[in-house]
Amino acid sequence: MEDLRSNILAYIDKHETCSSTELCKEMNVEHQKIVGALNSILAFGEIISAQPEVTSRLELTDEGRQVADHGSHEAVLFASVPAGDGAPQSELMKSVPNAKIGFSKALANRWIRLDKSAPGGPRVYRQVESVSDRIRHCLQMVAALSLDSLTAEERAELKKRKLVQEGRVTVYRVAKGPAFTLTLAKEETELTAEMLATGVWQTLTFKAYNFKALGQQPDCGHLHPLLKVRAEFRQIFLEMGFQEMPTNRYVESSFWNFDALFQPQQHPARDAHDTFFLTEPAACRLDAEQADGYLARVKAVHSNGGYGSIGYNYDWKESEAQKNILRTHTTAVSARMLYQLAQQPQFQPTKYFSIDRVFRNESLDATHLAEFHQIEGLVADYNLNLCHLMGIIREFFHKLGIRRLRFKPAYNPYTEPSMEIFSYHEGLGKWVEIGNSGVFRPEMLLPMGLPESVSVIAWGLSLERPTMIKYGINNIRDLIGPKVDLKMVSVGPICRLDK
Amino acid sequence: MPVVQIEKAALCQCLNRKDFTDDEVDELCFEFGLELDEVTSEREMLAKEQGDAKAAQMGDQLSDAVIYKIEVPANRYDLLCVEGLSRALMVFQSLAQPPLYKAVQPAAGMKQMRVAPSTAQIRPYVVCAMLRNLSFTPASYKSFIDLQDKLHQTICRQRSLVAIGTHDFDTLTGPFLYEALPPSDIVFKPLNQTKEFSAVELMQLYSGESHLKAYLPIIRDSPVYPVIKDANGVVLSMPPIINGDHSKITLNTKNVFIEATATDAHKASVVLDTLVCAFSQYCSEQFTVEAVQVNYPDGRASIYPSLAYRQVDIQVDYLRKGVGRSDSQLTIDEICNRLTRMCLVAKATSDATVSVTVPPTRHDVLHPCDVLEDLAIAIGYNNLEMSLPPTLCTGKQQPLNSLTDKLRLEVAFAGFTECLTFALCSEKDISERLRLPLDSLPAVRIANPKTLEFQVARTSLLPGILKTVHSNRSLPLPLKLFEIQDVVYKSTDSSGSAVNSRQLAAVYYGKSSGFELIHGLMDRIMQVLGVPVDQYKLSATEVATYFTGRCANVLYKGSSVGTIGVLHPETLAQFDLTLPASAFVFDVEKFL
């Protein structure tokens, strides 16, 4: 094989171009072998070029191939007949392959004669000294694809004897390629430590790399997309100088979740349809809140008003405030933090944020779960107003890459004025609500003991909604919970909210 | 938020704008704090509810007139009907002045409602009013019924706090009596029935009626039921369930007697004010309501409706600062004009104060901050000049959250993938499925879960992770998962509270238990937490969740901070897992 390849390359070097049949004749090998050698050279790269041309040619049948290798049946039979004494016909018929055809053809060619009356049965004798096996010669020419010397009669005879048949043969036009060489080196696939150590890499050729194939995935862990978005929001708050609130408290009293926020006890949000109440622990003690009179001040502002308010005019019950719930918003923690702020000897302007879970006993659907994450920011300072609230919200959303904002009057029990935040969604071509905000009511802040001139502005949004938009997720169960496809977790891009 | 339906034609007419486009209506609603929820028609609504075929079948019986569905804020009861909503928008657009509502006492004396002491046991308050010489149209009649329904669903808290009854006064004879009687002593023909029933029978009858059965529990178990009767013993109503058929109002009713019984006197008065303010515009003497006297057993007499106008003096400076405008940018006159457009008639009483009159339609105004919001709405929120708060602070993280985020990164670097599962789960998840007895767990239990998935707050992160493994068991093995989140424990002291605990849990799931890998991750975490080797070790123990002899306590400075081991085959079976797994769980807060 290697000799054949070198011979072919040498021939092409001399002749620049040739056909595969030409090579057949020149090398005296069958066409198939030439084609095999050409393919093996092609595998080394652009050493040669080979253009296929399909032609219709005579090709050997299985019987024809046998004849080309061993001689025609008649020649074989002739050779089996000993010169001089001859041999019994019955013996020849038994020992020689294809004896029947060989016998009749040899007889017709007058190569042999039959003596039917010889003693011991009919006997065959040679009639000529030697024979020329034209049939075999013709078949060898067919195999070498040199058919020019074959006469029409010979073709017809070979076909008739089913030694050849018409077939389709692919012949190649071969020429030098851009990287033509006479010596074929083996191509390397990998650069190895050994090659570097021995310096052999300098003489080796390397197999072309398939850049269209995929690389092998690194074996790594992944962070959950929702928490990647959470990290980004935390980063934004920290860049804006906000301090994180301790929100690791899922169980909250109704007092801090509702009453402290001036949310009346008959408010629908406090209904069992919206809020998870507990059987264990069902209620908590409000000793600390009672100790400094805060509880009494909250009771008073709900039932009779005060601080410039007429209040809600109802019978406020401490037992209702003691009921434990799973917090419905992180604003319960904000209330605790503002209360602590009010207990300082001197009020310090403050910016707080939190991102954590809240719980609602709502009907579940594709976008609602019983638990979700609330993002909340608030600023407490002297004389803050609506303009500051809108200003800080604009700054916050700019950092998320959201620029077109507008504000709609809204109602929240614990903020006044209140504003819903809308942004223009280019994809939907309309304004969509992206958050809620407001100025905390004096009925909430003043009983805590904050100075009258201090205002607290706050805004909030859910973490799930922007994450679902960011990662193109339509069903919230595909994002959170045990049914999440971890493939989604591993293929999610890093989170850059402003991109 | 409640939704009010208003025909486009009616809205256009009252706003004097024939060419109002849907976008303009949307814009107006947005500015005023309403939300145009849907543009539809009678036919479209029916098609949506019962299918196109049904809507087509109804043919001309359905109108194609455009209807707006408008969401109104939950505290604006005055906007719950077409009458109130369109009047508020007319005043907002300066097309009308805020009306002046009056309660008048007739020269011949007020109608009387006597309250019997027995009502104290069940529903102690009643308020009444009379709308005289009223002419209903089919539309206004429907709106009148609708508003009662909307009030019942909102401020009345499904009739538990307040229940309204409206009656054709001309079928009745005063004075009236509000008392509470044993159910068997109350017998009358209820609304739209042909024969008399006792209250006992009625409770039975209505227990199958979808729109009434929700109200039955309000009085069902009481020994006495409330009832209102006229001088001849005719039953007006058995609140909060049903009115009598005798006095039912029709399109032809001229004089409407309104009673509202309640457990909350203030809310009853608000409801009555809201109803009479909206519908007194159809009386021959517009915006005027005839007062009724309610006589309590203690001799106290109250006159309703109160229709009180409340004066609030507000510092102009407070309003200007609140919207970020100076004296010259916002004059007192402008303040007064703008507040009047919100139905809050305001007058300057000095250079520094305005006196604002809060009408009986605006029970949502509790404090000057509510007036400030209305001023801002009248100016337009989006016309205000934004500015950043001057507040300078330093950003700061919670140490626990900062540590958590750093640990999350390290565990992910180690080749584990983060799960995020629910904080609520079933009792079975934390007990039976982890092979632990429920009563050994300090679990917080939920009183009113809608499904079994929300019975308790989780006491372990393992069930969530193992469920995640189960949903992902077709992925290439091994699965290496972790979660750092809070679990919740009931407090051991008497405070009646509960505490969160930040935990880190990791699970290896594959062809072999992979304990050495889970152990290696624990070692790695201790390494990155800077724990010296002599302060951390594993000590064999038995926890039922783990396989016998394959479980250890994680000891840090001699005390246990978590457990590690090969999961028990029965634990795996509980989560329908067929391959071995190892896991650890530990308390992150110990390393703060």
Side-chain angles (χ1 to χ4, degrees):
Chain A
M1 178 73 164
E2 264 174 51
D3 283 350
L4 182 58
R5 289 193 310 213
S6 328
N7 290 344
I8 291 173
L9 288 172
Y11 187 85
I12 297 169
D13 189 30
K14 210 175 350 173
H15 296 86
E16 294 290 332
T17 175
C18 63
S19 78
S20 53
T21 48
E22 198 180 331
L23 290 168
C24 256
K25 259 189 248 170
E26 200 62 36
M27 313 291 156
N28 198 21
V29 259
E30 279 185 43
H31 191 246
Q32 259 182 326
K33 285 189 175 159
I34 294 289
V35 172
L38 289 174
N39 276 333
S40 126
I41 297 169
L42 285 167
F44 282 84
E46 298 180 307
I47 292 170
I48 57 164
S49 68
Q51 295 298 325
E53 293 163 5
V54 177
T55 51
S56 170
R57 292 286 173 106
L58 283 183
E59 59 182 26
L60 301 184
T61 62
D62 286 346
E63 192 181 350
R65 188 167 301 283
Q66 196 193 335
V67 171
D69 290 347
H70 305 291
S72 64
H73 305 324
E74 53 270 35
V76 170
L77 186 105
F78 176 81
S80 309
V81 178
D85 294 345
Q89 187 189 17
S90 57
E91 202 177 293
L92 286 173
M93 286 305 183
K94 254 186 270 175
S95 62
V96 178
N98 300 303
K100 209 179 160 199
I101 306 171
F103 184 79
S104 65
K105 287 287 174 192
L107 208 59
N109 287 351
R110 299 184 185 281
W111 291 353
I112 55 170
R113 66 182 172 83
L114 177 66
D115 181 2
K116 286 186 181 167
S117 55
R123 202 173 177 89
V124 182
Y125 298 95
R126 288 191 182 185
Q127 204 168 357
V128 291
E129 285 294 307
S130 64
V131 296
S132 147
D133 192 351
R134 190 181 45 83
I135 295 293
R136 182 186 190 184
H137 180 67
C138 287
L139 288 174
Q140 282 171 339
M141 285 198 293
V142 171
L145 299 177
S146 54
L147 302 173
D148 309 344
S149 44
L150 228 55
T151 65
E153 292 78 34
E154 283 168 339
R155 282 173 190 245
E157 187 186 354
L158 293 176
K159 274 193 199 173
K160 194 180 164 199
R161 288 183 64 173
K162 295 205 164 77
L163 295 173
V164 299
Q165 62 191 19
E166 290 286 336
R168 293 160 67 82
V169 178
T170 305
V171 174
Y172 292 88
R173 168 90 0 219
V174 186
K176 280 184 179 175
F180 184 79
T181 170
L182 284 174
T183 49
L184 292 174
K186 183 170 162 269
E187 285 192 309
E188 300 292 340
T189 50
E190 286 293 343
L191 180 63
T192 65
E194 201 189 342
M195 291 172 190
L196 294 179
T198 57
V200 71
W201 61 271
Q202 296 178 72
T203 58
L204 296 173
T205 49
F206 287 86
K207 194 165 191 287
Y209 200 86
N210 179 9
F211 289 105
K212 286 178 186 156
L214 288 177
Q216 188 183 326
Q217 282 289 306
D219 182 16
C220 55
H222 309 276
L223 296 177
H224 191 279
L226 189 82
L227 302 180
K228 287 197 276 193
V229 178
R230 182 181 73 177
E232 198 70 3
F233 274 105
R234 286 183 86 232
Q235 182 66 26
I236 287 171
F237 276 117
L238 292 168
E239 283 168 7
M240 291 174 72
F242 282 69
Q243 189 179 328
E244 193 172 26
M245 293 186 276
T247 45
N248 51 337
R249 174 196 282 272
Y250 294 164
V251 173
E252 190 52 274
S253 63
S254 292
F255 180 80
W256 286 106
N257 195 83
F258 297 121
D259 296 286
L261 298 173
F262 196 53
Q263 198 152 343
Q265 294 188 329
Q266 306 91 344
H267 193 276
R270 302 182 68 154
D271 208 278
H273 294 297
D274 291 300
T275 300
F276 286 114
F277 288 88
L278 304 182
T279 51
E280 262 181 68
C284 65
R285 301 174 62 88
L286 297 169
D287 298 344
E289 294 79 359
Q290 201 146 32
D292 78 335
Y294 177 48
L295 195 86
R297 293 196 295 276
V298 170
K299 176 181 175 147
V301 78
H302 275 251
S303 15
N304 317 313
Y307 314 100
S309 172
I310 58 168
Y312 288 120
N313 244 300
Y314 73 100
D315 184 14
W316 186 90
K317 293 195 178 73
E318 186 179 340
S319 58
E320 196 62 38
Q322 286 174 337
K323 286 183 182 168
N324 278 325
I325 56 162
L326 292 175
R327 68 168 175 224
T328 63
H329 47 198
T330 50
T331 318
V333 174
S334 310
R336 285 179 178 273
M337 295 302 286
L338 289 169
Y339 176 72
Q340 279 178 27
L341 198 60
Q343 307 319 303
Q344 293 173 351
Q346 173 72 41
F347 169 77
Q348 285 293 323
T350 304
K351 297 199 264 192
Y352 282 136
F353 83 95
S354 67
I355 309 172
D356 211 338
R357 286 186 204 231
V358 298
F359 303 85
R360 306 269 169 96
N361 196 11
E362 293 180 318
S363 307
L364 312 179
D365 60 31
T367 52
H368 290 89
L369 289 173
E371 47 191 284
F372 63 94
H373 290 73
Q374 185 187 341
I375 302 170
E376 187 175 357
L378 64 89
V379 185
D381 202 349
Y382 295 104
N383 301 317
L384 293 179
N385 62 20
L386 269 184
C387 307
H388 297 119
L389 177 59
M390 292 160 73
I392 193 117
I393 289 172
R394 179 179 61 179
E395 191 72 9
F396 177 79
F397 281 101
H398 272 198
K399 280 180 159 287
L400 300 175
I402 295 174
R403 301 203 169 265
R404 283 182 74 183
L405 289 181
R406 63 175 187 162
F407 300 89
K408 174 178 162 289
Y411 167 67
N412 298 317
Y414 47 91
T415 58
E416 189 81 13
S418 308
M419 308 193 293
E420 280 171 1
I421 310 159
F422 281 71
S423 83
Y424 191 76
H425 193 290
E426 296 292 344
L428 297 173
K430 64 173 186 182
W431 292 90
V432 293
E433 192 199 330
I434 53 170
N436 210 336
S437 71
V439 183
F440 282 135
R441 292 192 71 101
E443 294 99 322
M444 165 183 167
L445 301 180
L446 296 177
M448 291 177 172
L450 285 167
E452 213 171 319
S453 52
V454 167
S455 303
V456 181
I457 56 178
W459 76 102
L461 59 155
S462 94
L463 177 62
E464 279 76 359
R465 188 122 181 263
T467 306
M468 288 171 77
I469 293 168
K470 180 85 198 161
Y471 288 97
I473 294 167
N474 294 321
N475 189 328
I476 194 153
R477 279 170 193 74
D478 296 336
L479 178 66
I480 302 176
K483 299 242 162 76
V484 164
D485 178 3
L486 292 172
K487 195 113 192 279
M488 177 281 290
V489 174
S490 64
V491 300
I494 54 173
C495 177
R496 290 176 294 175
L497 289 174
D498 55 347
K499 291 278 178 194
Chain B
M1 287 204 299
V3 173
V4 177
Q5 293 180 16
I6 182 165
E7 276 199 27
K8 177 177 180 170
L11 187 69
C12 288
Q13 197 191 351
C14 72
L15 294 179
N16 202 15
R17 285 282 308 271
K18 287 200 185 68
D19 53 348
F20 234 7
T21 66
D22 294 349
D23 282 347
E24 284 172 314
V25 173
D26 186 43
E27 192 62 37
L28 174 64
C29 285
F30 193 97
E31 242 181 276
F32 192 64
L34 307 168
E35 199 163 326
L36 179 56
D37 202 33
E38 205 183 335
V39 181
T40 181
S41 70
E42 215 176 76
R43 186 182 310 283
E44 273 181 42
M45 281 191 282
L46 189 91
K48 211 170 164 183
E49 251 175 52
Q50 304 184 16
D52 290 334
K54 178 78 182 168
Q57 193 190 329
M58 297 283 284
D60 291 346
Q61 293 174 49
L62 293 176
S63 161
D64 286 310
V66 175
I67 292 174
Y68 293 130
K69 283 192 172 180
I70 296 176
E71 270 189 27
V72 307
N75 64 338
R76 289 296 299 270
Y77 308 115
D78 60 313
L79 305 180
L80 282 176
C81 62
V82 173
E83 287 74 12
L85 181 61
S86 49
R87 184 157 303 279
L89 287 174
M90 281 160 72
V91 175
F92 182 56
Q93 296 287 75
S94 307
L95 296 167
Q97 284 297 309
L100 189 63
Y101 301 100
K102 273 185 306 198
V104 295
Q105 301 180 8
M110 282 181 286
K111 297 287 170 271
Q112 305 285 315
M113 169 72 80
R114 184 165 69 82
V115 181
S118 54
T119 58
Q121 294 175 64
I122 172 81
R123 208 170 174 85
Y125 306 104
V126 64
V127 296
C128 307
M130 184 95 80
L131 291 173
R132 285 284 186 187
N133 297 314
L134 183 120
S135 12
F136 278 126
T137 62
S140 64
Y141 178 80
K142 183 170 175 292
S143 174
F144 188 58
I145 306 293
D146 267 2
L147 176 60
Q148 292 174 52
D149 194 42
K150 290 225 164 66
L151 289 169
H152 278 150
Q153 298 314 315
T154 55
I155 181 173
C156 305
R157 298 301 306 279
Q158 280 73 39
R159 303 191 190 177
S160 64
L161 300 181
V162 186
I164 311 161
T166 54
H167 309 276
D168 187 338
F169 177 72
D170 298 329
T171 66
L172 298 167
T173 315
F176 302 95
L177 171 64
Y178 176 43
E179 60 181 340
L181 297 173
S184 53
D185 294 357
I186 304 172
V187 178
F188 66 106
K189 188 165 85 174
L191 197 60
N192 301 329
Q193 293 288 342
T194 48
K195 66 178 188 92
E196 291 195 335
F197 292 85
S198 76
V200 179
E201 292 166 333
L202 280 179
M203 296 304 267
Q204 189 59 39
L205 179 69
Y206 293 141
S207 63
E209 286 216 15
S210 59
H211 71 292
L212 286 179
K213 72 176 175 198
Y215 309 123
L216 305 182
I218 302 172
I219 57 167
R220 184 160 47 207
D221 297 331
S222 166
V224 289
Y225 290 0
V227 63
I228 295 179
K229 294 175 180 170
D230 80 348
N232 300 323
V234 171
V235 171
L236 279 70
S237 65
M238 184 178 84
I241 312 297
I242 191 79
N243 288 349
D245 193 64
H246 178 90
S247 58
K248 74 175 172 195
I249 61 163
T250 66
L251 260 174
N252 303 318
T253 299
K254 289 288 157 215
N255 298 303
V256 178
F257 180 72
I258 304 169
E259 40 86 3
T261 57
T263 54
D264 179 323
H266 177 69
K267 287 207 168 55
S269 179
V270 170
V271 167
L272 187 67
D273 277 358
T274 305
L275 196 59
V276 298
C277 285
F279 285 87
S280 57
Q281 68 174 9
Y282 299 120
C283 294
S284 59
E285 205 176 325
Q286 268 198 319
F287 311 122
T288 302
V289 186
E290 183 179 315
V292 175
Q293 183 172 325
V294 178
N295 302 302
Y296 282 96
D298 59 3
R300 188 165 47 93
S302 305
I303 293 168
Y304 292 101
S306 79
L307 295 183
Y309 282 79
R310 184 163 58 91
Q311 302 295 322
V312 187
D313 288 332
I314 303 178
Q315 298 295 310
V316 176
D317 191 43
Y318 167 80
L319 295 174
R320 284 185 180 133
K321 276 188 181 158
V323 295
R325 296 212 164 161
S326 64
D327 307 12
S328 58
Q329 286 170 317
L330 187 62
T331 63
I332 291 195
D333 281 353
E334 193 183 342
I335 289 173
C336 294
N337 287 338
R338 293 205 184 266
L339 286 177
T340 302
R341 283 177 48 204
M342 303 303 291
C343 291
L344 298 173
V345 176
K347 269 193 226 121
T349 45
S350 74
D351 284 351
T353 50
V354 286
S355 173
V356 178
T357 306
V358 182
T361 45
R362 294 297 310 273
H363 286 282
D364 59 297
V365 176
L366 307 177
H367 186 276
C369 70
D370 296 293
V371 176
L372 172 63
E373 179 179 87
D374 276 20
L375 176 65
I377 293 171
I379 293 171
Y381 277 5
N382 297 291
N383 296 325
L384 299 179
E385 294 76 24
M386 297 188 206
S387 60
L388 274 180
T391 319
L392 277 179
C393 297
T394 310
K396 197 173 159 195
Q397 309 185 45
Q398 279 296 316
L400 180 58
N401 293 350
S402 170
L403 173 64
T404 299
D405 268 4
K406 288 178 175 131
L407 279 179
R408 287 174 57 234
L409 281 179
E410 289 292 345
V411 180
F413 289 159
F416 281 69
T417 292
E418 187 173 32
C419 314
L420 182 61
T421 62
F422 300 129
L424 307 184
C425 60
S426 70
E427 287 180 346
K428 195 180 161 195
D429 283 341
I430 54 168
S431 58
E432 197 181 322
R433 300 182 85 179
L434 296 182
R435 296 171 29 92
L436 301 171
L438 184 60
D439 52 22
S440 72
L441 302 170
V444 164
R445 287 160 193 258
I446 294 164
N448 53 334
K450 281 187 181 144
T451 74
L452 288 182
E453 287 162 65
F454 310 132
Q455 287 177 309
V456 290
R458 65 178 165 197
T459 51
S460 169
L461 298 177
L462 275 182
I465 303 180
L466 292 175
K467 285 186 205 174
T468 309
V469 170
H470 180 257
S471 324
N472 286 277
R473 62 200 191 287
S474 58
L475 290 183
L477 293 171
L479 292 178
K480 295 186 281 182
L481 304 182
F482 80 99
E483 185 166 7
I484 311 185
Q485 286 287 338
D486 288 355
V487 301
V488 185
Y489 300 136
K490 199 165 61 178
S491 289
T492 46
D493 58 22
S494 61
S495 63
S497 59
V499 289
N500 282 23
S501 165
R502 185 74 40 97
Q503 308 257 311
L504 164 55
V507 169
Y508 177 97
Y509 176 77
K511 290 255 158 58
S512 65
S513 78
F515 178 74
E516 67 287 357
L517 287 159
I518 275 294
H519 186 189
L521 179 63
M522 176 60 86
D523 290 344
R524 170 68 187 152
I525 289 165
M526 290 300 162
Q527 196 173 41
V528 300
L529 284 171
V531 174
V533 277
D534 60 334
Q535 287 188 4
Y536 148 67
K537 66 175 179 186
L538 304 187
S539 128
T541 187
E542 291 299 336
V543 176
T545 308
Y546 298 91
F547 199 28
T548 320
R550 297 260 182 301
C551 170
N553 271 322
V554 180
L555 299 183
Y556 170 59
K557 291 182 179 170
S559 61
S560 175
V561 294
T563 50
I564 184 167
V566 177
L567 290 179
H568 196 283
E570 284 173 11
T571 304
L572 295 169
Q574 285 285 348
F575 292 92
D576 213 1
L577 299 176
T578 50
L579 298 177
S582 293
F584 69 68
V585 172
F586 84 94
D587 184 346
V588 172
E589 292 178 40
K590 295 285 189 328
F591 299 89
L592 261 180

